[in-house]
Amino acid sequence: MVDSLIDFLHTLMAMPVFYPLVTVLIVADALAPVVPSETVLNLAGAFSASRGVPSVWGVIVAAIIGGIIGDNICFALGGKLISRVEALDPESKAGQAIRWVRRNMNRGAGATIIVARFIPWARWVATIVLGSVRYNWFKFVFFDTIGVIVWAFLSVGVGYLGGRILQDYPLLAMLLGVVLGSSVGYLIQKGQNKLAEWRDVRQGVSNV
């Protein structure tokens, strides 16, 4: 069964249509963050390192295109979707993402846009909230593009690293790639929170 799965993925990822599929998946993820786009990028990177397909650069480019298109569509729909954001359970992952976005937005929208790209629900909330308050679109595009590029390189890159480490064991390589990829977003979020708390303490001290 494992060999059949590996063969299926090899066939799929070797097809030219795989790259447009990645783009469509990431656009869908931007609009509805239940689609595991990071997992797909981690898997593709790991598979590329262990089996030679797909092209790492092809996946990265497809991911960047999908991320930018999806985020800008979500930003444009911000005013219409904000009511759904407000109605989310505050104790759910999405609700916690709302609190994170609004808390950090006051500290700097640019940094929040970039960091939120690594947190599935947070990036969805951030684009909607910014769109609903008519945040400057040119600034959004600038920061969002930076975030998407870094996100694409890291998501595919950590998967590729996992594939290299376990090159002779493609299934384990893919699992390691997903674990590494999941860890990246968590560490970035925690690091950003620590930095924001440090800034708050510094500002509090300077205001005394």
Side-chain angles (χ1 to χ4, degrees):
M1 183 176 177
V2 172
D3 290 339
S4 298
L5 174 61
I6 298 297
D7 289 341
F8 169 76
L9 291 174
H10 187 279
T11 301
L12 175 63
M13 293 187 185
M15 297 171 65
V17 74
F18 178 72
Y19 305 103
L21 285 176
V22 169
T23 297
V24 170
L25 176 69
I26 291 172
V27 170
D29 176 56
L31 299 175
V34 293
V35 181
S37 62
E38 283 90 356
T39 301
V40 172
L41 297 182
N42 298 154
L43 289 174
F47 212 81
S48 176
S50 62
R51 304 286 285 194
V53 292
S55 162
V56 169
W57 293 109
V59 176
I60 290 174
V61 170
I64 291 172
I65 293 171
I68 292 174
I69 292 173
D71 287 350
N72 278 274
I73 291 174
C74 203
F75 180 86
L77 295 174
K80 296 181 180 180
L81 295 175
I82 190 63
S83 59
R84 295 191 180 184
V85 170
E86 300 286 359
L88 292 169
D89 180 1
E91 299 305 318
S92 66
K93 286 186 177 180
Q96 294 172 16
I98 293 172
R99 291 199 300 272
W100 182 87
V101 167
R102 287 184 169 157
R103 182 174 66 249
N104 287 281
M105 203 72 76
N106 294 329
R107 296 164 175 153
T112 301
I113 292 169
I114 294 172
V115 174
R117 188 10 83 176
F118 295 85
I119 311 168
W121 281 104
R123 65 172 171 253
W124 182 73
V125 171
T127 52
I128 291 173
V129 170
L130 288 168
S132 69
V133 299
R134 302 295 187 269
Y135 181 75
N136 185 285
W137 179 71
F138 292 101
K139 288 183 179 180
F140 173 80
V141 170
F142 175 75
F143 290 116
D144 183 65
T145 299
I146 293 174
V148 168
I149 291 173
V150 175
W151 168 80
F153 271 89
L154 279 178
S155 296
V156 178
V158 294
Y160 191 88
L161 176 62
R164 277 293 183 190
I165 293 173
L166 295 171
Q167 189 169 1
D168 296 329
Y169 306 94
L171 185 60
L172 292 177
M174 288 187 290
L175 291 174
L176 179 59
V178 171
V179 171
L180 290 174
S182 301
S183 301
V184 167
Y186 176 81
L187 292 174
I188 288 176
Q189 180 184 3
K190 289 299 180 182
Q192 197 271 348
N193 284 339
K194 290 292 184 182
L195 178 60
E197 290 171 5
W198 178 78
R199 285 178 177 172
D200 287 346
V201 171
R202 293 280 296 177
Q203 290 175 355
V205 171
S206 64
N207 290 333
V208 173

